[in-house]
């Protein structure tokens, strides 16, 4: 098992949002607003830009892709501090 560095929620969200703004699928308004540890994976949350019927939009796909990228990238380096 790989060793990961403990990090608090606020610091992790700051890192995540810095990565988001540099991602090729970034658009204005995209941001991680919450994070939780789910086993070995860090799960990010934020606005998914659903339509009026609660269905995904083109922006939803971009958010999902970026949050998945964050989970893969940051879970290998960090775990949430308890």
């Amino acid at each position: 098992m790989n060793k990961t560095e403990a990090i608090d929620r606020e610091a992790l969200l700051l890192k995540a949002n810095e990565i988001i703004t540099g991602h090729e699928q970034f658009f204005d308004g995209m941001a991680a607003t919450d994070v939780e540890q789910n086993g070995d994976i860090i799960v990010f949350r934020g606005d998914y830009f659903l339509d009026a019927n609660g269905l995904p939009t083109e922006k939803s796909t971009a958010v999902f892709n970026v949050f998945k990228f964050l989970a893969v990238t940051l879970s290998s380096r960090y775990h949430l501090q308890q």
Side-chain angles (χ1 to χ4, degrees), residues 25-59:
Q25 289 188 298
F26 171 77
F27 58 85
D28 200 32
M30 183 188 293
T33 58
D34 195 19
V35 62
E36 72 176 34
Q37 188 80 42
N38 188 352
D40 291 338
I41 303 298
I42 297 171
V43 179
F44 293 90
R45 291 198 172 84
D47 189 350
Y48 273 89
F49 299 90
L50 303 176
D51 71 12
N53 296 315
L55 299 173
T57 64
E58 194 172 303
K59 286 184 175 183

Side-chain angles (χ1 to χ4, degrees), residues 19-20 23-27 30 44 47-48 57-73:
I19 292 169
I20 286 172
H23 195 278
E24 66 183 20
Q25 289 188 298
F26 171 77
F27 58 85
M30 183 188 293
F44 293 90
D47 189 350
Y48 273 89
T57 64
E58 194 172 303
K59 286 184 175 183
S60 304
T61 302
V63 171
F64 175 83
N65 290 339
V66 173
F67 284 7
K68 180 180 174 186
F69 173 78
L70 290 173
V72 170
T73 301

